[in-house]
Amino acid sequence: MTEELLYRLENRVAMLTLNRPERLNALTKDMMRELRSRLADAAMDDGIGCVVLTGAGNAFCAGGDVRVQATVAAEGSPETPEQRADQLRASMEASRLLHEMPKPTIAMVNGVAAGAGLSLALACDLRIAGRSARMTTAFAKVGLSGDYGGTWFLTRLIGTAKARELYFLSEVLDAPRIEALGLANRVVGDDELMAETMALAEKLANGPSVALRYMKRNLNVALHGDLSAGLDSEAYGMLRSRASDDHKEAARAFVEKRQPAFKGR
Protein backbone atom coordinates (compact mmCIF):
# COMPACT_ATOMS: atom_id res chain seq x y z
CA MET A 1 0.00 0.00 0.00
CA THR A 2 1.28 3.49 -0.79
CA GLU A 3 2.09 5.66 2.23
CA GLU A 4 -0.03 8.35 0.56
CA LEU A 5 -3.12 6.53 1.83
CA LEU A 6 -3.39 5.20 5.37
CA TYR A 7 -5.83 2.46 6.34
CA ARG A 8 -7.21 1.44 9.72
CA LEU A 9 -10.00 -0.98 10.63
CA GLU A 10 -11.48 -0.77 14.11
CA ASN A 11 -14.86 -1.86 15.46
CA ARG A 12 -16.13 -2.48 11.89
CA VAL A 13 -15.18 1.06 10.80
CA ALA A 14 -12.65 1.38 7.97
CA MET A 15 -10.83 4.73 8.13
CA LEU A 16 -9.05 5.87 4.98
CA THR A 17 -6.70 8.83 5.45
CA LEU A 18 -5.30 10.82 2.52
CA ASN A 19 -1.69 11.27 3.60
CA ARG A 20 0.20 14.13 1.95
CA PRO A 21 -0.14 16.73 4.73
CA GLU A 22 2.77 18.80 3.36
CA ARG A 23 0.69 19.32 0.18
CA LEU A 24 -2.70 19.59 1.96
CA ASN A 25 -3.35 15.99 0.84
CA ALA A 26 -3.47 16.92 -2.84
CA LEU A 27 -4.34 13.91 -4.96
CA THR A 28 -1.83 11.78 -6.88
CA LYS A 29 -2.30 8.86 -9.26
CA ASP A 30 -0.90 6.39 -6.72
CA MET A 31 -3.13 7.74 -3.95
CA MET A 32 -6.25 7.48 -6.08
CA ARG A 33 -5.36 4.03 -7.37
CA GLU A 34 -5.02 2.82 -3.78
CA LEU A 35 -8.18 4.63 -2.68
CA ARG A 36 -10.23 2.98 -5.44
CA SER A 37 -8.85 -0.41 -4.49
CA ARG A 38 -9.55 0.05 -0.79
CA LEU A 39 -13.08 1.31 -1.44
CA ALA A 40 -13.85 -1.59 -3.77
CA ASP A 41 -12.62 -4.05 -1.13
CA ALA A 42 -14.60 -2.32 1.63
CA ALA A 43 -17.77 -2.48 -0.43
CA MET A 44 -17.50 -6.28 -0.53
CA ASP A 45 -16.14 -6.91 2.99
CA ASP A 46 -18.83 -8.07 5.44
CA GLY A 47 -16.47 -7.21 8.29
CA ILE A 48 -16.77 -3.50 7.43
CA GLY A 49 -19.98 -1.68 8.31
CA CYS A 50 -18.98 1.93 7.65
CA VAL A 51 -16.21 3.81 5.81
CA VAL A 52 -14.72 7.11 6.99
CA LEU A 53 -12.64 9.26 4.62
CA THR A 54 -10.42 12.01 6.03
CA GLY A 55 -7.09 13.77 5.54
CA ALA A 56 -3.86 13.86 7.52
CA GLY A 57 -2.74 17.01 9.29
CA ASN A 58 -4.75 20.20 9.01
CA ALA A 59 -6.56 19.56 5.72
CA PHE A 60 -9.09 17.17 4.27
CA CYS A 61 -7.95 17.46 0.65
CA ALA A 62 -6.92 20.41 -1.54
CA GLY A 63 -7.90 18.55 -4.72
CA GLY A 64 -5.53 18.05 -7.62
CA ASP A 65 -1.86 18.96 -7.24
CA VAL A 66 -1.62 22.31 -9.03
CA ARG A 67 2.17 22.02 -9.32
CA VAL A 68 1.80 18.82 -11.32
CA GLN A 69 -0.96 20.39 -13.40
CA ALA A 70 1.25 23.39 -14.13
CA THR A 71 4.06 21.13 -15.33
CA VAL A 72 1.74 19.20 -17.64
CA ALA A 73 0.30 22.47 -18.97
CA ALA A 74 3.79 23.82 -19.69
CA GLU A 75 5.46 20.68 -21.04
CA GLY A 76 2.52 18.75 -22.44
CA SER A 77 1.86 15.04 -22.01
CA PRO A 78 2.97 12.05 -24.12
CA GLU A 79 -0.53 10.60 -23.77
CA THR A 80 -3.40 11.45 -26.09
CA PRO A 81 -6.37 13.45 -24.75
CA GLU A 82 -8.45 10.27 -24.99
CA GLN A 83 -5.97 8.31 -22.89
CA ARG A 84 -5.86 11.02 -20.27
CA ALA A 85 -9.67 11.23 -20.20
CA ASP A 86 -9.91 7.46 -19.71
CA GLN A 87 -7.40 7.61 -16.85
CA LEU A 88 -9.26 10.44 -15.16
CA ARG A 89 -12.58 8.67 -15.54
CA ALA A 90 -11.12 5.53 -13.96
CA SER A 91 -9.78 7.61 -11.07
CA MET A 92 -13.20 9.17 -10.54
CA GLU A 93 -14.61 5.73 -9.73
CA ALA A 94 -13.66 6.60 -6.14
CA SER A 95 -16.60 9.01 -6.03
CA ARG A 96 -19.00 6.41 -7.41
CA LEU A 97 -17.84 3.84 -4.87
CA LEU A 98 -18.31 6.24 -1.96
CA HIS A 99 -21.78 7.11 -3.21
CA GLU A 100 -22.99 3.65 -4.24
CA MET A 101 -21.30 1.10 -1.98
CA PRO A 102 -23.94 -0.77 0.09
CA LYS A 103 -22.90 0.71 3.42
CA PRO A 104 -22.68 4.21 4.92
CA THR A 105 -19.74 6.48 4.10
CA ILE A 106 -18.69 9.54 6.10
CA ALA A 107 -16.33 12.39 5.22
CA MET A 108 -14.55 13.76 8.30
CA VAL A 109 -13.64 17.24 7.08
CA ASN A 110 -10.72 18.54 9.11
CA GLY A 111 -9.72 21.73 7.33
CA VAL A 112 -9.85 22.67 3.66
CA ALA A 113 -11.85 20.58 1.18
CA ALA A 114 -11.29 22.08 -2.27
CA GLY A 115 -11.84 21.06 -5.87
CA ALA A 116 -11.77 17.29 -6.24
CA GLY A 117 -11.32 17.09 -2.48
CA LEU A 118 -14.70 18.73 -1.99
CA SER A 119 -16.17 16.39 -4.62
CA LEU A 120 -14.96 13.36 -2.65
CA ALA A 121 -16.50 14.75 0.53
CA LEU A 122 -19.78 15.37 -1.28
CA ALA A 123 -19.74 11.80 -2.60
CA CYS A 124 -19.99 10.48 0.95
CA ASP A 125 -23.38 9.89 2.55
CA LEU A 126 -22.62 12.16 5.51
CA ARG A 127 -20.15 14.93 6.28
CA ILE A 128 -18.93 15.89 9.74
CA ALA A 129 -16.89 19.11 9.72
CA GLY A 130 -14.65 20.78 12.27
CA ARG A 131 -14.91 24.49 13.04
CA SER A 132 -11.75 25.10 11.00
CA ALA A 133 -13.26 23.45 7.91
CA ARG A 134 -13.28 25.41 4.67
CA MET A 135 -14.97 24.31 1.46
CA THR A 136 -14.60 25.63 -2.08
CA THR A 137 -15.17 24.28 -5.56
CA ALA A 138 -11.91 26.10 -6.51
CA PHE A 139 -11.98 25.06 -10.19
CA ALA A 140 -12.77 28.48 -11.67
CA LYS A 141 -9.68 29.90 -9.97
CA VAL A 142 -7.42 27.54 -11.91
CA GLY A 143 -9.38 27.60 -15.17
CA LEU A 144 -10.84 24.10 -14.92
CA SER A 145 -14.42 22.87 -15.22
CA GLY A 146 -14.51 20.33 -12.39
CA ASP A 147 -14.36 16.58 -11.81
CA TYR A 148 -15.02 13.70 -9.38
CA GLY A 149 -18.78 14.28 -9.58
CA GLY A 150 -18.83 17.57 -7.72
CA THR A 151 -21.35 19.25 -10.03
CA TRP A 152 -23.67 16.22 -9.80
CA PHE A 153 -23.48 15.93 -6.01
CA LEU A 154 -23.63 19.65 -5.25
CA THR A 155 -26.65 20.23 -7.52
CA ARG A 156 -28.59 17.50 -5.76
CA LEU A 157 -27.50 18.57 -2.30
CA ILE A 158 -28.21 22.31 -2.42
CA GLY A 159 -30.04 22.94 -5.71
CA THR A 160 -28.93 24.08 -9.13
CA ALA A 161 -28.90 27.87 -8.56
CA LYS A 162 -26.61 27.73 -5.52
CA ALA A 163 -24.44 25.01 -7.04
CA ARG A 164 -23.88 27.18 -10.12
CA GLU A 165 -22.96 30.15 -7.94
CA LEU A 166 -20.42 28.12 -5.96
CA TYR A 167 -18.87 26.70 -9.13
CA PHE A 168 -18.77 29.93 -11.13
CA LEU A 169 -17.36 32.07 -8.29
CA SER A 170 -15.31 29.49 -6.32
CA GLU A 171 -16.12 31.25 -3.06
CA VAL A 172 -14.43 29.87 0.07
CA LEU A 173 -17.04 28.87 2.64
CA ASP A 174 -16.30 28.93 6.37
CA ALA A 175 -17.92 26.61 8.93
CA PRO A 176 -21.03 28.77 9.56
CA ARG A 177 -21.75 29.00 5.80
CA ILE A 178 -21.06 25.29 5.38
CA GLU A 179 -23.58 24.53 8.10
CA ALA A 180 -26.15 27.02 6.82
CA LEU A 181 -26.05 25.58 3.29
CA GLY A 182 -26.37 22.02 4.56
CA LEU A 183 -23.01 20.95 3.17
CA ALA A 184 -22.21 19.31 6.51
CA ASN A 185 -24.57 17.20 8.57
CA ARG A 186 -22.81 18.37 11.72
CA VAL A 187 -20.21 21.02 12.55
CA VAL A 188 -18.30 20.38 15.77
CA GLY A 189 -15.25 21.72 17.55
CA ASP A 190 -11.96 20.65 16.01
CA ASP A 191 -10.98 18.88 19.22
CA GLU A 192 -14.24 16.92 19.13
CA LEU A 193 -14.16 15.99 15.44
CA MET A 194 -12.54 12.57 15.70
CA ALA A 195 -14.62 11.44 18.67
CA GLU A 196 -17.90 12.67 17.17
CA THR A 197 -17.18 11.10 13.78
CA MET A 198 -16.10 7.76 15.19
CA ALA A 199 -19.08 7.57 17.54
CA LEU A 200 -21.41 8.06 14.57
CA ALA A 201 -19.42 5.67 12.35
CA GLU A 202 -19.42 2.92 14.97
CA LYS A 203 -23.14 3.33 15.56
CA LEU A 204 -23.78 2.89 11.84
CA ALA A 205 -21.20 0.12 11.44
CA ASN A 206 -22.80 -1.91 14.20
CA GLY A 207 -26.39 -1.18 13.19
CA PRO A 208 -28.77 -3.24 11.03
CA SER A 209 -26.51 -3.57 8.00
CA VAL A 210 -29.06 -5.22 5.71
CA ALA A 211 -31.62 -2.48 6.35
CA LEU A 212 -28.99 0.26 5.93
CA ARG A 213 -27.89 -1.28 2.63
CA TYR A 214 -31.41 -1.03 1.20
CA MET A 215 -32.10 2.36 2.75
CA LYS A 216 -29.07 3.68 0.87
CA ARG A 217 -30.22 2.04 -2.34
CA ASN A 218 -33.70 3.56 -1.96
CA LEU A 219 -32.25 7.00 -1.33
CA ASN A 220 -30.02 6.75 -4.40
CA VAL A 221 -32.97 5.66 -6.54
CA ALA A 222 -34.83 8.71 -5.23
CA LEU A 223 -32.12 10.97 -6.72
CA HIS A 224 -32.82 10.03 -10.32
CA GLY A 225 -35.71 7.56 -10.53
CA ASP A 226 -39.43 8.20 -10.74
CA LEU A 227 -41.95 7.28 -8.04
CA SER A 228 -42.60 3.86 -9.54
CA ALA A 229 -38.89 3.01 -9.42
CA GLY A 230 -38.76 4.23 -5.84
CA LEU A 231 -41.71 2.08 -4.80
CA ASP A 232 -40.20 -0.96 -6.52
CA SER A 233 -36.92 -0.42 -4.68
CA GLU A 234 -38.67 0.04 -1.34
CA ALA A 235 -40.78 -3.09 -1.82
CA TYR A 236 -37.75 -5.29 -2.48
CA GLY A 237 -35.76 -3.71 0.33
CA MET A 238 -38.55 -4.22 2.84
CA LEU A 239 -38.93 -7.90 1.95
CA ARG A 240 -35.18 -8.48 2.13
CA SER A 241 -34.70 -6.63 5.43
CA ARG A 242 -37.83 -8.25 6.93
CA ALA A 243 -36.19 -11.63 6.34
CA SER A 244 -32.96 -10.57 8.05
CA ASP A 245 -31.81 -11.84 11.45
CA ASP A 246 -31.42 -8.22 12.55
CA HIS A 247 -35.13 -7.50 12.01
CA LYS A 248 -36.08 -10.60 13.95
CA GLU A 249 -33.74 -9.59 16.78
CA ALA A 250 -35.14 -6.04 16.78
CA ALA A 251 -38.70 -7.37 17.00
CA ARG A 252 -37.77 -9.61 19.95
CA ALA A 253 -35.97 -6.73 21.65
CA PHE A 254 -39.03 -4.49 21.25
CA VAL A 255 -41.27 -7.06 22.93
CA GLU A 256 -38.69 -7.67 25.66
CA LYS A 257 -38.14 -3.93 26.19
CA ARG A 258 -34.37 -3.99 25.58
CA GLN A 259 -31.89 -2.66 23.04
CA PRO A 260 -31.36 -4.95 20.02
CA ALA A 261 -27.98 -6.59 19.44
CA PHE A 262 -27.50 -6.40 15.69
CA LYS A 263 -25.22 -8.87 13.92
CA GLY A 264 -25.31 -7.36 10.45
CA ARG A 265 -27.16 -10.20 8.77
Side-chain angles (χ1 to χ4, degrees), residues 94-149:
S95 293
R96 186 189 64 79
L97 287 163
L98 286 166
H99 180 65
E100 294 185 359
M101 74 163 62
K103 53 196 68 178
T105 57
I106 302 173
M108 185 172 76
V109 184
N110 53 316
V112 65
L118 175 60
S119 299
L120 288 171
L122 296 175
C124 293
D125 297 311
L126 303 172
R127 283 154 297 284
I128 311 300
R131 292 288 174 194
S132 65
R134 300 292 182 269
M135 293 183 179
T136 176
T137 60
F139 292 109
K141 293 182 178 178
V142 291
L144 294 172
S145 58
D147 55 13
Y148 285 84

Side-chain angles (χ1 to χ4, degrees), residues 98-104 125 152 209-226 228-241:
L98 286 166
H99 180 65
E100 294 185 359
M101 74 163 62
K103 53 196 68 178
D125 297 311
W152 194 91
S209 298
V210 174
L212 293 175
R213 175 191 187 106
Y214 289 99
M215 282 181 195
K216 181 165 179 174
R217 190 178 80 163
N218 292 342
L219 291 163
N220 283 344
V221 168
L223 286 173
H224 51 76
D226 59 17
S228 181
L231 295 175
D232 289 344
S233 181
E234 287 185 348
Y236 181 83
M238 278 295 284
L239 289 175
R240 177 62 187 89
S241 56

Side-chain angles (χ1 to χ4, degrees), residues 23-43:
R23 296 291 299 146
L24 300 181
N25 303 314
L27 306 176
T28 69
K29 290 183 179 179
D30 286 344
M31 180 193 288
M32 294 311 300
R33 187 179 301 112
E34 184 69 22
L35 179 61
R36 295 197 312 274
S37 176
R38 285 290 185 178
L39 290 173
D41 290 345

Side-chain angles (χ1 to χ4, degrees), residues 28-234:
T28 69
K29 290 183 179 179
D30 286 344
M31 180 193 288
M32 294 311 300
R33 187 179 301 112
E34 184 69 22
L35 179 61
R36 295 197 312 274
S37 176
R38 285 290 185 178
L39 290 173
D41 290 345
M44 301 297 293
D45 189 342
D46 290 339
I48 295 173
C50 183
V51 172
V52 174
L53 180 65
T54 192
N58 298 318
F60 178 79
C61 176
D65 195 323
V66 179
R67 291 182 182 178
V68 174
Q69 295 169 355
T71 299
V72 172
E75 300 177 1
S77 171
E79 300 161 327
T80 67
E82 290 78 13
Q83 288 173 324
R84 292 170 62 190
D86 288 344
Q87 290 171 4
L88 178 57
R89 176 62 185 87
S91 182
M92 290 194 286
E93 278 293 287
S95 293
R96 186 189 64 79
L97 287 163
L98 286 166
H99 180 65
E100 294 185 359
M101 74 163 62
K103 53 196 68 178
T105 57
I106 302 173
M108 185 172 76
V109 184
N110 53 316
V112 65
L118 175 60
S119 299
L120 288 171
L122 296 175
C124 293
D125 297 311
L126 303 172
R127 283 154 297 284
I128 311 300
R131 292 288 174 194
S132 65
R134 300 292 182 269
M135 293 183 179
T136 176
T137 60
F139 292 109
K141 293 182 178 178
V142 291
L144 294 172
S145 58
D147 55 13
Y148 285 84
T151 53
W152 194 91
F153 294 118
L154 196 60
T155 296
R156 283 157 178 78
L157 187 62
I158 63 173
T160 184
K162 201 65 182 179
R164 288 166 195 253
E165 177 186 332
L166 294 183
Y167 263 85
F168 293 163
L169 301 180
S170 289
E171 181 183 1
V172 178
L173 307 175
D174 60 12
R177 294 277 321 273
I178 290 169
E179 190 169 28
L181 285 170
L183 291 173
N185 297 85
R186 302 177 187 176
V187 174
V188 301
D190 290 341
D191 58 345
E192 302 169 334
L193 182 58
M194 177 66 76
E196 289 278 345
T197 303
M198 291 307 296
L200 175 60
E202 289 176 9
K203 181 177 182 178
L204 292 170
N206 294 284
S209 298
V210 174
L212 293 175
R213 175 191 187 106
Y214 289 99
M215 282 181 195
K216 181 165 179 174
R217 190 178 80 163
N218 292 342
L219 291 163
N220 283 344
V221 168
L223 286 173
H224 51 76
D226 59 17
L227 176 58
S228 181
L231 295 175
D232 289 344
S233 181
E234 287 185 348

